Amino acid sequence: MPVVQFAPFSSLVQPGFWHELTRLKIDVLRLSDESLTVSGSYSVGRSIRDRETGQDVALGCNLVLGAAAFEQPLQVPPMSVTMHGVFKNYNTVEEFKAADKATTFNNVANDIWQSIVESRDTSKLTQFLLLTFSDLKKYQYYYWFAFPAFVAKPAWEISTEGWRAADHELGASQLSSIFESLHAQTKPFFLVNLTGDTAEVHSIERADTYFASDAPDSTIVGFLDPSASPDNPGWPLRNLLMYLQTLYPSKTSSVRVLCWRDGELPVGGRSWKSRFGIVTGGAGQPNAKPTAVGWERHPATNKLAARMADLAPMMDPTRLVDQAVDLNLKLMRWRIIPSLDLEKVARTRCLLLGAGTLGCYVARTLMGWGVRTITLVDSSRVSFSNPVRQPLFDFEDCLNGGKPKAACAAEHLKKIFPGINATGYNLLIPMPGHPIPVSSTEQTKKDVALLEKLFDEHDAVFLLMDSRESRWLPTVLGAAKNKIVLNAALGFDTYLVMRHGARASASASNSQRLGCYYCNDIVAPADSLTDRTLDQMCTVTRPGLAPIAASTAVELLVSLLQHPDGIHAPPPPPQSATANDIGSESASNSVLGLVPHQLRGFLAQFRALLVTGAAFDGCTGCSESVIKVYEKEGFAMILRACNETGYLETLTGLDKLHMEGDAALESVDWEEDE
Amino acid sequence: MEESSLEPIDYAAAAATFAGELLCHQYVVLSPTFGVPTFYFSVHDSSGTPLTLTEVLQLPLFHRDAFEGAQVTTFSVEQSCASFPLLSFGDHPTLNVQCWYLHPCGTKAAVEEILDATEEGKAGGEQRHLQWLRAWFTLLSSLLVDLRG
């Protein structure tokens, strides 16, 4: 006959249990590792009907622990019973791992055994063990349940008819009587005495009376069964059978078992769920303590291993902010643009060259889009005029000479959103027209190496500086490394926001390559900063302009990122020269709309023009001739560009262009009217 | 954390049949701010780990397109309240647990639209309360798959 296979307990912990344990540990236990009593409950086994297959899926044999687990006594509803356990919390994960689990388990099992043999009571038959380690910094809880059950030798066997529906053995009115009795006073273990049409439920401790009776068939051993599996009775039956066999060895070679699984009276033509079976087992040695098994297996691997509950997402404030920010963005996607690829935006690492007005607003808008990595580069310190226009700085940051801007901005970003990966570098970018003094050459070389590394480590670069020539080196680096480069520049009431085109050698030969910041200029970048008057030095702009330009630059980046061609996205076709043709389906559109090359804004007219500029083969910033020399000579080339006047013109052939231009001008025959 | 030799193989233990069950607590609460019934719920797995947002949205509890706005035709987004979020996270008004909830800002208008469309909905007095609740459950069932689980 087949061996009875009992359905093991499956722990079900509620988050409230962990919250309560945390509170207990902080307020009461602290470092104490004394054992405590915890209480859980189990109820009748339940199944759920799978809507798709129509099959019933049996739920696990659940022991539920909630926030009230540490309170005694535990209140439970009818048709549920409590289960008490020994609880031990370890203070470090090493202690948890190294703990002598076998001994602790055996102690609990011994306790159960003593209660059977000496007290002859059933109150400890379902005693369990729970070991935990709470990592209160990370809100993670390691835990391991054990449900000690004595191993019967020889094992219990089920009759050849197997487990069958209870209503095949008992009549409906008998089952109803049992239900009424259990509902009024729920017991984990009980005896059923059948008399005629009805049944009486008695305490299991009165077994001796009923086992001695003349009609053995009218005595049934019952238990509240948390299993819903048709052929597997729940775990509590194991120790119950051991209890009966130990105390009544001669009467229990064969036991009639009722697995009670009806939490409600069946209605609407449904059948009774309870099961009935006859189990047999040879009498072992009644007074020798049997071995016990019952450590819970990890549900994912089925191995004997501890489990872990990770409550960080719901308890760690940093994670909560993370979730909230994500929630906002995700809702935008679901409700409006389902095909928006937010993850792509979030993982785009952004390098911001310049942590001034533009830099601060760009950083803020990027955070709004969920970008997780923002690096700022700036060589200056926060000055008193900054905080009102640069929203990442406070008054305090200006004091004592002023904090270095880039690092200060990064710190503020972290204060706003702790989950941001923000760093600031204090770096002066070398510029053509500003010769590098010999004493600074070594440092500048290091700075350039760092800048190159930053370019390699980021996906999109924003040029947000306050001069024309400072954008030259980043343009070359961006072109050489084929990075997405966004350029924003401010006039008094006008702005330029543009994206640099892809590198020539990385673009398809027939595609129209888009230009960079310098492509439309026939003058190489030179010193525009020295000998300026005060009003020329401070970039005086209408205050509303910087946020407009900065946020436009970010939105341009995001629209670009959503385009399947990325950096190679084509400009909008000429007829959409105004910003009105958002709805037109075009290969140049991303799901967010247009991906223009350049936007020129005119605040005086509250207007923005979309401009497309082709790449110039002789450009001092992005032409192949310049990039190739940079790739070959590296820092030496940069040094020459900064130190030697005319170097870039010669390199790109602009000097010849000038000569041709001058010659053409000379050759014009100006007609003079008589 | 595995200790495979902790105990011998147990031939009388049935194999684990069910793994990955989730426990979902659902509540209908009167929103203190908006004065309308609000659906609160919390979900966790058997270890007590609450589900993350992504996992919550994939629950079979919701219709697949519940959050795309297309299905929920009777939820009009009002100007007077924030457009987002439809799904919020916060404290249960009385139980001191954290729950997800369906934001109640559009509920009043949506329910009244339903009531105006039916004869019974125009009833007055106590009947009106009953019809109001019925309409509210209708609204809820457009988002949730089976309220009785």
Side-chain angles (χ1 to χ4, degrees):
Chain A
M1 287 188 288
V3 167
V4 175
Q5 306 254 279
F6 301 89
F9 266 117
S10 192
S11 63
L12 197 102
V13 183
Q14 300 183 331
F17 176 76
W18 301 120
H19 296 167
E20 187 56 27
L21 172 57
T22 303
R23 189 198 66 79
L24 204 66
K25 178 137 172 65
I26 294 174
D27 292 344
V28 178
L29 287 176
R30 308 219 180 111
L31 288 177
S32 156
D33 59 358
E34 57 175 290
S35 299
L36 296 176
T37 306
V38 286
S39 309
S41 66
Y42 63 93
S43 183
V44 294
R46 289 192 324 151
S47 312
I48 299 281
R49 170 143 300 166
D50 183 334
R51 220 169 275 115
E52 278 168 37
T53 64
Q55 302 283 15
D56 276 335
V57 179
L59 292 180
C61 222
N62 289 131
L63 163 68
V64 181
L65 253 71
F70 294 98
E71 292 165 20
Q72 260 89 54
L74 184 67
Q75 309 282 356
V76 291
M79 299 316 252
S80 289
V81 290
T82 52
M83 225 166 119
H84 300 290
V86 172
F87 169 81
K88 207 163 150 58
N89 181 63
Y90 294 93
N91 289 314
T92 65
V93 69
E94 290 78 23
E95 282 173 52
F96 179 81
K97 283 189 194 162
D100 184 356
K101 301 179 178 68
T103 304
T104 317
F105 180 89
N106 281 334
N107 290 343
V108 175
N110 267 340
D111 203 22
I112 302 175
W113 184 245
Q114 294 307 316
S115 76
I116 295 175
V117 172
E118 288 177 16
S119 332
R120 300 175 72 94
D121 86 298
T122 58
S123 61
K124 286 197 173 177
L125 288 184
T126 53
Q127 183 168 251
F128 63 94
L129 173 63
L130 173 58
L131 306 177
T132 65
F133 160 65
S134 332
D135 183 341
L136 298 183
K137 282 214 187 74
K138 291 196 210 156
Y139 301 98
Q140 288 174 340
Y141 304 85
Y142 292 87
Y143 68 102
W144 207 344
F145 279 89
F147 306 103
F150 297 109
V151 178
K153 286 192 170 77
W156 291 97
E157 290 172 355
I158 179 70
S159 72
T160 39
E161 298 143 303
W163 296 97
R164 47 201 187 270
D167 54 10
H168 289 184
E169 183 70 22
L170 286 81
S173 56
Q174 290 174 322
L175 289 168
S176 298
S177 308
I178 298 172
F179 173 82
E180 297 300 336
S181 177
L182 284 177
H183 195 267
Q185 196 183 45
T186 311
K187 302 179 173 67
F189 309 109
F190 51 91
L191 269 175
V192 173
N193 190 40
L194 301 173
T195 49
D197 260 351
T198 64
E200 293 153 12
V201 173
H202 299 283
S203 151
I204 195 86
E205 273 87 358
R206 296 186 56 196
D208 47 0
T209 318
Y210 292 93
F211 282 156
S213 82
D214 296 327
D217 275 6
S218 62
T219 303
I220 301 179
V221 165
F223 74 106
L224 197 78
D225 188 0
S227 167
S229 191
D231 297 316
N232 303 103
W235 206 247
L237 181 59
R238 267 187 116 154
N239 284 350
L240 174 63
L241 288 174
M242 180 57 67
Y243 167 86
L244 292 170
Q245 189 176 60
T246 307
L247 299 184
Y248 313 102
S250 54
K251 304 278 190 231
T252 49
S253 52
S254 166
V255 185
R256 296 158 64 79
V257 177
L258 176 63
C259 306
W260 190 261
R261 298 175 178 186
D262 289 283
E264 315 167 312
L265 282 169
V267 291
R270 292 211 185 118
S271 51
W272 292 89
K273 299 194 192 116
S274 299
R275 309 284 286 166
F276 176 85
I278 304 178
V279 300
T280 52
Q285 288 177 293
N287 287 314
K289 177 179 157 283
T291 52
V293 291
W295 285 102
E296 188 177 26
R297 287 177 175 269
H298 197 290
T301 58
N302 208 40
K303 291 192 165 17
L304 289 170
R307 296 177 66 175
M308 196 261 282
D310 185 358
L311 267 68
M314 289 297 151
M315 286 170 74
D316 183 345
T318 311
R319 300 280 292 266
L320 282 170
V321 167
D322 233 13
Q323 286 234 4
V325 167
D326 267 347
L327 180 56
N328 236 350
L329 288 168
K330 284 192 166 88
L331 284 165
M332 169 170 60
R333 170 165 65 181
W334 305 319
R335 300 199 77 171
I336 298 176
I337 311 178
S339 48
L340 194 56
D341 188 350
L342 287 171
E343 284 73 30
K344 183 156 193 215
V345 179
R347 60 172 189 264
T348 301
R349 301 161 296 175
C350 293
L351 177 64
L352 277 57
L353 303 179
T357 322
L358 286 171
C360 289
Y361 281 111
V362 165
R364 279 294 211 138
T365 314
L366 286 172
M367 278 213 305
W369 267 106
V371 169
R372 286 299 197 253
T373 302
I374 299 176
T375 307
L376 295 120
V377 169
D378 201 294
S379 61
S380 55
R381 293 176 174 272
V382 185
S383 67
F384 287 103
S385 65
N386 292 158
V388 286
R389 291 202 184 206
Q390 303 179 7
L392 292 179
F393 306 123
D394 281 333
F395 174 71
E396 280 82 26
D397 301 325
C398 310
L399 303 173
N400 301 318
K403 294 199 184 124
K405 270 186 155 177
C408 187
E411 279 314 301
H412 262 271
L413 289 179
K414 286 185 225 177
K415 278 209 196 104
I416 295 164
F417 178 53
I420 194 82
N421 175 20
T423 331
Y425 291 92
N426 190 344
L427 197 62
L428 178 63
I429 298 174
M431 310 179 249
H434 297 258
I436 298 161
V438 175
S439 51
S440 319
T441 309
E442 261 316 296
Q443 180 58 47
T444 308
K445 195 167 179 191
K446 287 197 189 108
D447 289 346
V448 170
L450 174 57
L451 192 62
E452 286 167 338
K453 179 162 160 299
L454 288 174
F455 264 78
D456 288 331
E457 291 170 356
H458 291 77
D459 307 301
V461 184
F462 284 83
L463 308 189
L464 307 169
M465 308 85 130
D466 58 3
S467 73
R468 182 165 172 264
E469 56 267 33
S470 58
R471 299 168 196 259
W472 175 78
L473 177 56
T475 299
V476 174
L477 294 178
K481 297 169 189 291
N482 207 37
K483 298 282 176 179
I484 297 172
V485 176
L486 289 128
N487 218 331
L490 303 177
F492 166 66
D493 60 3
T494 60
Y495 66 83
L496 163 69
V497 167
M498 66 179 293
R499 57 179 169 108
H500 286 187
R503 178 175 178 173
S505 60
S507 310
S509 53
N510 58 351
S511 64
Q512 175 206 15
R513 241 192 85 222
L514 295 171
C516 78
Y517 184 63
Y518 299 99
C519 281
N520 290 346
D521 298 331
I522 54 169
V523 182
D527 185 0
S528 69
L529 299 174
T530 315
D531 286 345
R532 290 183 301 177
T533 56
L534 181 66
D535 63 300
Q536 284 172 319
M537 268 199 279
C538 314
T539 320
V540 176
T541 70
R542 285 178 69 166
L545 198 67
I548 295 172
S551 41
T552 304
V554 172
E555 293 298 331
L556 178 56
L557 169 68
V558 178
S559 194
L560 182 73
L561 290 174
Q562 299 299 315
H563 195 285
D565 296 341
I567 195 177
H568 300 282
Q575 58 265 27
S576 50
T578 61
N580 289 332
D581 295 314
I582 297 168
S584 54
E585 288 292 323
S586 155
S588 57
N589 283 11
S590 77
V591 294
L592 286 171
L594 299 177
V595 193
H597 177 226
Q598 301 181 30
L599 279 127
R600 295 195 179 242
F602 306 90
L603 195 51
Q605 292 126 45
F606 290 97
R607 196 163 66 98
L609 265 184
L610 271 59
V611 176
T612 302
F616 173 43
D617 284 338
C619 176
T620 52
C622 70
S623 60
E624 278 299 312
S625 50
V626 170
I627 300 174
K628 286 209 169 70
V629 176
Y630 157 72
E631 282 181 325
K632 186 152 156 272
E633 297 175 16
F635 181 67
M637 178 262 197
I638 297 169
L639 202 57
R640 290 187 73 181
C642 296
N643 294 354
E644 291 175 27
T645 324
Y647 169 74
L648 284 173
E649 279 92 333
T650 317
L651 188 58
T652 54
L654 266 182
D655 52 349
K656 290 198 188 55
L657 193 69
H658 290 163
M659 288 199 310
E660 284 166 22
D662 286 341
L665 207 55
E666 288 289 306
S667 68
V668 169
D669 216 356
W670 297 107
E671 286 210 0
E672 295 197 54
D673 280 327
E674 286 299 309
Chain B
M1 290 258 183
E2 197 190 317
E3 297 189 38
S4 46
S5 52
L6 199 49
E7 65 181 29
I9 297 180
D10 179 14
Y11 295 101
T17 50
F18 199 83
E21 65 224 298
L22 300 171
L23 205 61
C24 180
H25 296 273
Q26 300 173 7
Y27 316 89
V28 176
V29 188
L30 187 67
S31 160
T33 328
F34 290 89
V36 294
T38 306
F39 180 73
Y40 279 72
F41 67 97
S42 66
V43 205
H44 62 86
D45 68 14
S46 58
S47 72
T49 301
L51 263 56
T52 62
L53 173 59
T54 322
E55 291 160 341
V56 166
L57 294 157
Q58 288 164 356
L59 286 175
L61 179 64
F62 300 105
H63 284 296
R64 250 203 303 257
D65 44 6
F67 293 101
E68 283 184 23
Q71 191 81 336
V72 189
T73 52
T74 49
F75 264 128
S76 56
V77 177
E78 309 228 73
Q79 293 288 39
S80 54
C81 78
S83 323
F84 322 117
L86 178 58
L87 188 64
S88 282
F89 185 72
D91 288 324
H92 186 283
T94 58
L95 291 180
N96 199 32
V97 291
Q98 291 192 309
C99 291
W100 298 97
Y101 63 98
L102 298 177
H103 204 277
C105 63
T107 305
K108 188 159 179 291
V111 165
E112 278 169 10
E113 227 184 279
I114 297 179
L115 291 176
D116 288 340
T118 63
E119 274 308 307
E120 306 84 27
K122 300 186 174 73
E126 226 184 72
Q127 267 302 307
R128 178 143 181 103
H129 288 309
L130 187 63
Q131 293 307 327
W132 209 101
L133 272 179
R134 268 205 173 136
W136 185 82
F137 275 105
T138 308
L139 207 53
L140 198 60
S141 64
S142 65
L143 274 179
L144 306 180
V145 167
D146 187 335
L147 295 182
R148 281 174 316 134

